[in-house]
């Protein structure tokens, strides 16, 4: 299994919209990608524009397919304009 964590900061004025968009992205990933097993979204308790994603895929190849998916590309295009920082880490389970 392959685990991804993302520590993501967006402009605070877009936090509510971004949280809802992240939830839709999680649902799309879980529904459309057979090898996406978990996709959790958490919002920081005091920093409204900061989020943590926790995603589990069958393997690195499955994550690479996620990155190439149309729904990921559409999400990325929307999120880029409001992103302040995005730290992605991959982990072997």
């Amino acid at each position: 299994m392959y685990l991804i964590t993302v520590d993501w900061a967006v402009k605070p004025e877009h936090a509510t919209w971004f949280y809802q968009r992240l939830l839709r992205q999680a649902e799309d990933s879980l529904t459309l990608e057979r090898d996406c097993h978990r996709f959790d979204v958490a919002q920081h308790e005091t920093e409204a524009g900061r989020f943590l994603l926790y995603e589990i895929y069958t393997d690195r190849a499955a994550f690479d397919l996620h990155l190439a998916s149309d729904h990921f590309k559409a999400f990325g295009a929307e999120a880029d304009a409001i992103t302040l920082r995005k730290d992605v880490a991959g982990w072997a389970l």
Side-chain angles (χ1 to χ4, degrees):
M1 301 297 272
Y2 189 69
L3 167 68
I4 292 292
T5 57
V6 183
D7 184 351
W8 206 325
V10 298
K11 296 175 184 176
E13 62 269 24
H14 298 285
T16 301
W17 173 86
F18 190 67
Y19 181 67
Q20 293 303 314
R21 186 60 182 91
L22 280 173
L23 293 177
R24 191 171 103 212
Q25 175 63 7
E27 182 179 341
D28 287 347
S29 297
L30 290 165
T31 303
L32 301 172
E33 299 176 41
R34 179 187 69 202
D35 291 318
C36 179
H37 304 285
R38 184 173 196 104
F39 196 127
D40 295 330
V41 175
Q43 187 173 23
H44 195 277
E45 66 182 341
T46 60
E47 297 176 42
R50 188 170 172 199
F51 299 87
L52 179 69
L53 281 59
Y54 180 93
E55 308 169 41
I56 298 177
Y57 297 86
T58 300
D59 52 25
R60 175 62 202 229
F63 178 66
D64 290 340
L65 286 174
H66 168 72
L67 296 177
S69 69
D70 290 340
H71 66 92
F72 178 83
K73 290 177 185 178
F75 168 69
E78 294 173 13
D80 282 349
I82 63 168
T83 295
L84 299 173
R85 179 182 48 77
K86 179 178 165 186
D87 297 316
V88 181
W91 311 81
L93 289 177

